Amino acid sequence: MSDKKKIYKPKPISGYPEWLPQVRRVEQQWLDHIREVFESYGFCNIETPAVEALEVIAAKGEDVDKEIYVLERLQKEEGDKEARLALHFDQTVPLARYVGQHFNDLVFPFKRYQTQKVWRGERPQAGRFREFTQCDIDVINVDNLPLSLDAEMPKIIHEVLSGLDIPPFEIRISNRKILLGLLDYLEVRNKTEVTRIIDKIEKLSEDSIEQLLKEHGIDEADSSEILWLALCPDLDAVFPHNEMMQEGLEELQFVMDQLSHLPNVVADLSIVRGLDYYTGTVYETMFVDDPSYGSICSGGRYDDLASSYINKKLPGVGISIGFSRLFAKMHTQLDTGRISPADVLVILNSEDDRAAASEIADTLRKNGNAVELYHAPQKFSKQLSYAEKKGIPFVWMPPFGDTVEHKVKTMATGDQVEADYKDWKAADA
RNA sequence: GCGAGCGUAGCUCAGCUGGUAGAGCACUCGGUUGUGAUCCGAGUUGUCGCGGGUUCAAGCCCCGUCGUUCGCCCCA
């Protein structure tokens, strides 16, 4: 029997992160926290399929198209007629479809949160994945939507992020009408390209921005006016050249006034966002000490979300936490050593003690403890070592030999005290 | 999709100008009185990413390929 079994050497797939149990444990705690905050503001949850019909997803333009994963059966035969399916690329498009489809059954304003994986065929980098989790909240209404919701979004996000163990962050807010109004006034044609250039202000120098603008046919006077606006720290200093700019300035001022009690929420006119469907308020969130890591939470207002799916005007505002990016930034520091969720490990002394040990474990569980029972009567040191490795904080030591008392050992200190399993709680110990 | 770097035990890496692989950690067992994290002893682990070429000889050189990391594009 010399022939070795061939094994497939396991390796990670780039852009598809996975964590060890001790990190996943923290990840779930973060997700729980996010859910609790969202629900405390009255958002309800939905989940949509991993896939949408390709034509639902692919309508956003070529840049987006090239990142879409299409689904196909391996054994598909030529000529098989099936709807082409694609993995969703964000949660906004599925939401639009969902709202259009269930319009008559939804109550408006529709406030929903959604935490799911999304897929993008990008080159993975630090904080950038091919499969990642987003936590979205959106509010959608028929015909019009109060502007104060534009302020509620960052307020909620601020509350969420403040409750997580992360470095200092800053939520930056602008209103697209301001920059787009100026581009209108300057009669700039390729607005999308220009806004994308302005979007790079975080990474590039002023000179390179000017150079890029020049390459896209913006003359020096216009270019310096655009740059001045993007970098202008004071809303009052901006002169509105037209109604659009005026409107944008007023809206932004209104939103900022409502958020004035939050120091790390700032107006920043260089924020424009690449995605074209945003029409007013836009948000981005950066780590203060590492802004080039990218936005960990972005979003904005859109005039009509679902016009491709239903003949109604449905304005909305939404924001999305790039959960995977956020979590990946921290995960190396998040290993608490707590692999198991168990509070206590019940020792199994011998086969004869199995029934008793099992009863102890059940009773402890009824009292609200998470309990793992060791299932093999192995050496005591081995069972202790197991608790140590799994990060289980307490070990329950049932009577053995001639002894009659139960003891609980606290692993961190080594202390052992007598205890009654009928009313012991890890939380009190 | 484009550009650059890297690819040696489960992990982090060493391997000098080519001479058929090593450390630390991890893991397993042991150090008699049920007591883990420390200490001591013993032990297991590799087609040196894959394919081809040069050479008496390749982990080390050349070509290709795949994977991966970083930058660009775009974006959470």
Side-chain angles (χ1 to χ4, degrees), chain A residues 12-13 15-31 117 125-129 131-133 293 322-335 338-339:
Chain A
I13 302 174
Y16 292 79
E18 62 185 5
W19 313 122
L20 290 171
Q22 56 269 42
V23 175
R24 171 61 176 165
R25 217 177 108 75
V26 180
E27 184 176 40
Q28 280 191 302
Q29 288 166 358
W30 283 33
L31 289 167
K117 294 250 165 87
Q125 276 166 45
R128 309 183 54 188
F129 306 101
E131 174 180 84
F132 59 98
T133 300
Y293 185 66
F323 182 86
S324 300
R325 175 175 290 179
L326 180 65
F327 191 72
K329 169 91 174 169
M330 297 307 295
H331 91 273
T332 51
Q333 301 160 52
L334 291 173
D335 186 347
R338 191 80 190 267
I339 290 175

Side-chain angles (χ1 to χ4, degrees), chain A residues 91-211:
Chain A
Q91 291 177 129
T92 306
V93 169
L95 173 67
R97 191 225 83 223
Y98 184 94
V99 169
Q101 189 173 324
H102 302 287
F103 183 79
N104 288 321
D105 299 314
L106 297 174
V107 178
F108 292 90
F110 179 49
K111 301 179 81 173
R112 83 89 179 76
Y113 74 95
Q114 195 169 351
T115 297
Q116 288 184 234
K117 294 250 165 87
V118 304
W119 295 268
R120 295 184 192 175
E122 301 190 70
R123 262 299 193 290
Q125 276 166 45
R128 309 183 54 188
F129 306 101
R130 291 183 153 167
E131 174 180 84
F132 59 98
T133 300
Q134 290 189 312
C135 311
D136 280 32
I137 46 175
D138 286 85
V139 184
I140 293 173
N141 203 17
V142 184
D143 293 331
N144 58 63
L145 184 72
L147 188 61
S148 60
L149 281 162
D150 291 36
E152 191 175 68
M153 296 290 134
K155 176 170 181 279
I156 296 169
I157 294 304
H158 188 276
E159 189 173 328
V160 166
L161 296 181
S162 299
L164 296 174
D165 186 16
I166 58 171
F169 62 92
E170 184 175 77
I171 301 177
R172 302 175 184 174
I173 306 180
S174 185
N175 191 303
R176 292 194 112 206
K177 290 176 186 171
I178 302 170
L179 183 68
L180 289 175
L182 178 66
L183 296 183
D184 247 8
Y185 168 74
L186 298 174
E187 294 178 342
V188 171
R189 285 189 186 169
N190 42 354
K191 287 188 196 140
T192 303
E193 283 168 343
V194 171
T195 55
R196 281 182 180 168
I197 292 168
I198 297 301
D199 225 29
K200 295 185 204 303
I201 248 173
E202 185 68 61
K203 283 193 173 184
L204 301 178
S205 68
E206 268 183 58
D207 284 349
S208 6
I209 295 282
E210 273 188 320
Q211 182 59 33

Side-chain angles (χ1 to χ4, degrees), chain A residues 1-6:
Chain A
M1 291 292 159
S2 62
D3 55 325
K4 253 185 168 176
K5 196 177 76 176
K6 274 196 178 174

Side-chain angles (χ1 to χ4, degrees), chain A residues 351-363:
Chain A
E351 278 303 332
D352 295 341
D353 292 318
R354 193 177 287 281
S358 179
E359 197 234 314
I360 293 166
D362 281 340
T363 306

